[in-house]
Amino acid sequence: AQTPEQCENAPAFQFMREVFAQVGIPLAVEAVSRFSFTFRVDASPYARIFAGDEGKKTCAFVSEALARFLTTDLGLPAEVDEVECRNARASRCRVTVALDPRAVTRRVLDAVDRALLAGLARGLSPQGVSREFGMSSGERDFRIERLVGYGLVGGDGRILPAGELLAGEGIPSDEG
């Protein structure tokens, strides 16, 4: 997802939003990037529980719950930080989430992406890899752009250290 709207329509986020709403934490996506999110909670009974501690951020357990959900249920280790709190006179509670780039990359690349990466690691050019796998130039270019976006391949199609590391892991058996 590249926008908050796209993120909110993703099944994983809809599931997460429903789980948190059931316990009184209505999440909304405020910002999204490849390895991070910003969530807001406009109102939650948990912020009111600690209202006597006026002027302090009080939703640390919301941050912890998000971190545990992302790490345990979605397999995406995350650092979550409350950056605004209603009890500290903010208009809403807001948390930032920094995802582990390697975990995200492992999760989103499919077997074809990994095969392309492995071919580049073996020293093939992007064109050579697409010939080897019978891939159209359009699909190859799309996938190379994706690998560039994840910091695995340079704009010239040359594999970068993070790409070499991932290519060395091979293609997971559950993907092909």
Side-chain angles (χ1 to χ4, degrees):
Q2 296 177 350
T3 67
E5 294 78 21
Q6 290 172 338
C7 186
E8 290 204 1
N9 287 323
F13 177 75
Q14 290 175 347
F15 173 70
M16 185 173 73
R17 180 177 49 203
E18 181 63 29
V19 167
F20 278 81
Q22 287 178 12
V23 295
I25 305 170
L27 293 176
V29 178
E30 204 169 81
V32 61
S33 71
R34 194 172 308 270
F35 302 116
S36 67
F37 296 96
T38 301
F39 294 109
R40 77 170 187 274
V41 179
D42 293 319
S44 169
Y46 300 106
R48 290 192 305 267
I49 289 173
F50 299 101
D53 295 338
E54 194 167 321
K56 295 181 183 176
K57 294 177 185 174
T58 58
C59 295
F61 78 96
V62 172
S63 297
E64 180 65 23
L66 271 169
R68 285 184 183 191
F69 182 86
L70 291 165
T71 300
T72 303
D73 296 318
L74 297 183
L76 297 171
E79 291 186 23
V80 182
D81 185 40
E82 180 186 17
V83 294
E84 291 182 22
C85 182
R86 291 175 58 119
N87 288 336
R89 295 188 174 85
S91 61
R92 77 259 187 251
C93 294
R94 190 166 59 114
V95 295
T96 58
V97 175
L99 299 171
D100 177 338
R102 286 190 66 198
V104 170
T105 302
R106 279 190 201 103
R107 187 80 120 116
V108 300
L109 296 184
D110 63 16
V112 176
D113 292 323
R114 286 175 177 264
L116 177 58
L117 194 59
L120 294 172
R122 289 193 327 265
L124 293 174
S125 68
Q127 295 77 13
V129 174
S130 64
R131 277 192 301 276
E132 183 176 302
F133 294 106
M135 187 183 301
S136 72
S137 61
E139 180 179 4
R140 176 201 64 223
D141 292 347
F142 169 79
R143 289 181 180 276
I144 289 288
E145 184 178 318
R146 184 171 158 155
L147 297 175
V148 167
Y150 282 100
L152 304 171
V153 173
D156 59 358
R158 186 178 36 84
I159 194 161
L160 299 175
E164 290 176 359
L165 194 66
L166 189 61
E169 294 176 5
I171 300 171
S173 60
D174 65 329
E175 289 184 41

